[in-house]
Amino acid sequence: MSEQTQRRSTSQTRRVVVVGAGMAGVQTAVALREQGFTGTVTLIGAEPHQPYDRPPLSKAVLLGKSEGSAFEVDFGALGIELALGREALGVRTADHELDTEAGPVPYDVLVLATGAEPITLPGTQGVPGVHLLRTLDDAERLRPVLARQHDIVVVGAGWIGAEFATAAREAGCAVTVVEAADRPLAGALPAEVAAPMAAWYADSGTDLRTHARVAGVEPGAVVLDDGSRLPAGAVVVGIGARPATGWLAGSGIELGPHREVLADDRLRTTAPDVYAVGDCASFPSGRYGERLLVHHWDNALQGPRTVAANILGETDAVYDPVPYFWSEQFGRFVQYAGHHAAADRLVWRGDPTGPSWSVCWLRETRLVALLAVGRPRDLAQGRRLIEAGRQMDPEALSDPGKPLKNATTT
């Protein structure tokens, strides 16, 4: 028997348990079947709902245009066992057992895919009218709020804050967004890139308050630290998310500075036979020379293929993607590919006060990241150029009329 055949034969009798029934968990289970794994696959989710996709929650589901966003996956036909409404409590790696509310679950291979959880605003736990937007239940609670066209205060001008404000304005609500920083997306983009986006709020009729910190939330009002009071029939908090890994305390699985699971470039954790994928894990990027923690949908879609391949063991699969995400806000389609932290030059394509423009980040003439507003062709071409490590001509790159693929030097 060849070594490859022996590995495949062994893999078929193993029990793979996937913790987390979001995109990363579902795709891991599906990828295992697609790649030929015939052992036991169990998908465990804390929520009672059929596994669902999250992006529609801040759009169609929130506005009542869709009743849900369940994945179109026939779990029964794929032989994937669903264990829903079952919260994970801990892992005993030496025993190869996962502890859950319903008792221990033995595993041969464990995949951590628990995603991220929203950061709450201090002092607002249990306060009526304060909402988060992360789960299907969150969206269901917010739908009638939008339908009643309440005055709404959104705390945080990040991606989720902008998307919710967009939906609330579409529903006819009066919306005020308060942001502690001096601009939207302060934690995600450089000032010169994020600054033009502030005008999008005003164009949509949304009141954006920067340099504004919340001092407290009272019935019907948000109080800022300067003493001003904003009417608020509802408050939506969108100040970020952190990896949902608190339940791993005492497991011996190493966590990073953001409480994320530290995975290697094969998405293996520091514990034997335990992998981590999606929002809950960081991984070392050879492309960018640093560890990346990516809280976006595409990462949860791509990583599972690497996990499945490494569980089967027939290839040595390394995970080093070009990160990608998109956002629909205030009538604009915003896309981003790459990682700009190590860039040494920024090149504009088009007028940032106009409806469509792009920004390119270079490192030693190589394209490393791109933000495209209403320019999907730039994004598609740019993503391929980043993957290929192509060198660019900055002058040609700055011409918005020239295709990106024609602005290379090699």
Side-chain angles (χ1 to χ4, degrees):
M1 182 183 295
S2 70
E3 182 180 352
Q4 183 177 5
T5 302
Q6 189 173 21
R7 281 200 305 267
R8 173 174 282 275
S9 177
T10 302
S11 77
Q12 309 316 310
T13 61
R14 288 186 295 171
R15 298 163 297 182
V16 177
V17 174
V18 183
V19 188
M23 172 62 79
V26 168
Q27 289 301 320
T28 297
V30 171
L32 282 165
R33 293 302 191 218
E34 288 179 343
Q35 295 182 30
F37 182 80
T38 58
T40 301
V41 178
T42 302
L43 183 64
I44 296 178
E47 295 183 56
H49 309 292
Q50 189 76 2
Y52 61 88
D53 203 5
R54 293 191 188 279
L57 297 185
S58 62
K59 306 173 184 70
V61 175
L62 187 62
L63 291 170
K65 298 177 180 179
S66 172
E67 289 303 314
S69 55
F71 291 112
E72 294 183 1
V73 175
D74 190 336
F75 294 100
L78 290 173
I80 297 169
E81 177 190 354
L82 291 181
L84 304 177
R86 195 167 178 179
E87 186 175 357
L89 303 176
V91 182
R92 287 174 284 115
T93 57
D95 299 328
H96 277 58
E97 283 193 334
L98 171 75
D99 288 322
T100 76
E101 291 177 317
V105 179
Y107 67 84
D108 293 306
V109 179
L110 179 67
V111 181
L112 309 177
T114 47
E117 55 193 6
I119 297 172
T120 59
L121 188 64
T124 62
Q125 290 85 344
V127 176
V130 177
H131 300 264
L132 299 169
L133 180 52
R134 182 74 183 182
T135 68
L136 180 60
D137 288 340
D138 292 336
E140 292 291 350
R141 282 189 288 265
L142 278 164
R143 279 169 65 170
V145 173
L146 267 59
R148 289 193 294 268
Q149 298 185 336
H150 278 299
D151 288 340
I152 295 177
V153 172
V154 179
V155 183
W159 299 112
I160 191 65
E163 291 183 1
F164 177 80
T166 299
R169 286 298 298 140
E170 184 177 336
C173 300
V175 182
T176 301
V177 178
V178 297
E179 168 59 51
D182 62 348
R183 62 188 186 277
L185 296 167
L189 296 173
E192 61 186 308
V193 177
M197 299 177 176
W200 300 356
Y201 289 76
D203 291 346
S204 73
T206 301
D207 181 11
L208 173 64
R209 307 278 188 98
T210 56
H211 299 287
R213 293 184 179 276
V214 176
V217 178
E218 302 174 354
V222 171
V223 182
L224 302 182
D225 60 359
D226 64 0
S228 58
R229 299 168 61 85
L230 304 175
V235 179
V236 177
V237 179
I239 55 176
R242 60 169 62 96
T245 56
W247 65 282
L248 292 172
S251 68
I253 296 171
E254 189 175 353
L255 304 182
H258 302 288
R259 298 188 352 194
E260 84 279 16
V261 179
L262 293 177
D264 67 8
D265 60 359
R266 273 75 174 171
L267 298 180
R268 300 170 299 201
T269 74
T270 55
D273 303 315
V274 181
Y275 293 79
V277 66
D279 290 5
C280 72
S282 66
F283 56 90
S285 170
R287 185 190 310 276
Y288 291 105
E290 62 182 283
R291 181 169 284 274
L292 301 182
L293 175 60
V294 181
H295 281 189
H296 292 297
W297 185 89
D298 191 66
N299 178 53
L301 175 67
Q302 303 296 337
R305 297 167 189 164
T306 298
V307 170
N310 285 317
I311 289 174
L312 267 73
E314 296 179 0
T315 61
D316 189 24
V318 172
Y319 190 58
D320 195 8
V322 173
Y324 166 75
F325 72 88
W326 81 95
S327 176
E328 296 177 73
Q329 51 183 269
F330 307 119
R332 293 165 174 84
F333 187 44
V334 184
Q335 296 172 282
Y336 177 96
H339 180 65
H340 66 266
D344 52 36
R345 184 168 184 176
L346 185 151
V347 178
W348 290 89
R349 286 171 58 80
D351 180 2
T353 64
S356 62
W357 47 273
S358 296
V359 174
C360 300
W361 284 271
L362 304 179
R363 184 175 64 210
E364 297 178 353
T365 74
R366 294 187 186 279
L367 186 65
V368 295
L370 180 140
L371 175 80
V373 177
R375 292 179 67 93
R377 183 175 297 179
D378 274 8
L379 190 287
Q381 294 183 8
R383 192 176 184 181
R384 290 193 290 268
L385 293 169
I386 295 169
E387 290 172 346
R390 297 293 296 274
Q391 294 187 357
M392 310 298 295
D393 176 352
E395 184 175 347
L397 195 62
S398 67
D399 181 356
K402 183 184 290 293
L404 277 174
K405 62 182 181 181
N406 296 339
T408 61
T409 59
T410 57

